[in-house]
Amino acid sequence: KAGVTQTPRYLIKTRGQQVTLSCSPISGHRSVSWYQQTPGQGLQFLFEYFSETQRNKGNFPGRFSGRQFSNSRSEMNVSTLELGDSALYLCASSVAGTVNTEAFFGQGTRLTVV
Amino acid sequence: DAKTTQPPSMDCAEGRAANLPCNHSTISGNEYVYWYRQIHSQGPQYIIHGLKNNETNEMASLIITEDRKSSTLILPHATLRDTAVYYCIVKYTGTASKLTFGTGTRLQVTL
């Protein structure tokens, strides 16, 4: 079956702009999580959505937001972009987000803020 | 979630077993040990997980010590394609899908 699909794969934005990233989970998966990966901070958890509700949130400013649709697809939005937001943004899906399930990651969206 | 400690890097000859250690001395009774790996510029890939018993799948084996304070991921016959950063993660039942990644071990498999 198809894996986790993230679009776009690459993005270049200017400081102050906003950006929306998309994630389509594996069919049947209801939990979608987002992560940011930078050379300095490594992989950091942003938030998790389950059944259209945010269930868990990492330590990021309010400029980072997300949502999940009824078909489990998810989007994350970053407003007022800063240079430090340049990163690889990864989406992961799992069946129901419980402890005994593994997460499947997409290839990521590489965002560059100039 | 319990903190994990891994060596920053390891080397392994192709065809040999790669044994990647992880220390999680503060692990609690209902926390699982998960292993993921990330090949350069790709999303992390799930490898294996366990609670207290040793586990094996088509990719690797996971050996957890009896006191659960440490574990070892074993890749029985490493290939060049196993070159990646390997993350050991301890995951509490109450945190749903949240994974707390450390700095991992960079495994270099060489000819």
Side-chain angles (χ1 to χ4, degrees):
Chain A
K1 56 184 174 182
V4 178
T5 303
Q6 292 189 245
T7 57
R9 288 294 310 278
Y10 302 92
L11 206 49
I12 300 176
K13 289 287 189 178
T14 304
R15 269 183 303 175
Q17 287 187 313
Q18 73 165 12
V19 67
T20 299
L21 312 181
S22 179
C23 173
S24 293
I26 292 171
S27 178
H29 286 194
R30 295 168 62 193
S31 168
V32 174
S33 300
W34 289 89
Y35 294 81
Q36 180 197 65
Q37 185 171 29
T38 60
Q41 299 297 319
L43 267 159
Q44 293 186 286
F45 172 80
L46 278 157
F47 31 63
E48 181 209 358
Y49 285 87
F50 179 76
S51 294
E52 302 178 65
T53 301
Q54 188 180 89
R55 187 160 69 170
N56 218 336
K57 189 177 188 308
N59 189 25
F60 278 82
R63 298 185 297 108
F64 292 82
S65 63
R67 60 177 174 169
Q68 186 180 34
F69 302 96
S70 58
N71 61 359
S72 294
R73 191 177 71 84
S74 177
E75 289 181 347
M76 69 162 281
N77 183 278
V78 187
S79 62
T80 319
L81 284 166
E82 302 176 359
L83 296 179
D85 297 332
S86 294
L88 180 66
Y89 289 89
L90 292 156
C91 161
S93 77
S94 59
V95 173
T98 58
V99 68
N100 278 334
T101 60
E102 66 245 45
F104 294 84
F105 284 80
Q107 294 287 72
T109 294
R110 185 163 296 280
L111 171 66
T112 301
V113 181
V114 297
Chain B
D1 295 336
K3 181 178 169 57
T4 61
T5 303
Q6 299 177 253
S9 64
M10 293 182 65
D11 292 327
C12 179
E14 190 175 35
R16 304 297 294 269
N19 296 283
L20 292 90
C22 179
N23 182 284
H24 32 79
S25 58
T26 60
I27 193 169
S28 63
N30 56 1
E31 288 181 309
Y32 287 72
V33 180
Y34 277 73
W35 283 83
Y36 283 78
R37 72 180 182 184
Q38 187 174 26
I39 295 170
H40 183 63
S41 296
Q42 297 183 20
Q45 177 190 24
Y46 166 83
I47 301 173
I48 199 167
H49 76 278
L51 181 62
K52 59 178 79 172
N53 298 319
N54 298 338
E55 302 286 346
T56 295
N57 62 20
E58 64 279 3
M59 286 183 69
S61 294
L62 173 61
I63 309 297
I64 302 174
T65 58
E66 193 169 339
D67 63 7
R68 304 211 321 124
K69 293 185 176 182
S70 65
S71 61
T72 300
L73 177 74
I74 302 172
L75 308 178
H77 304 287
T79 71
L80 296 178
R81 288 181 294 181
D82 292 321
T83 293
V85 178
Y86 287 76
Y87 296 98
C88 168
I89 298 167
V90 172
K91 191 164 173 295
Y92 178 57
T93 55
T95 52
S97 289
K98 177 183 177 181
L99 296 170
T100 302
F101 289 85
T103 53
T105 295
R106 184 173 299 277
L107 175 68
Q108 181 69 53
V109 180
T110 57
L111 290 171

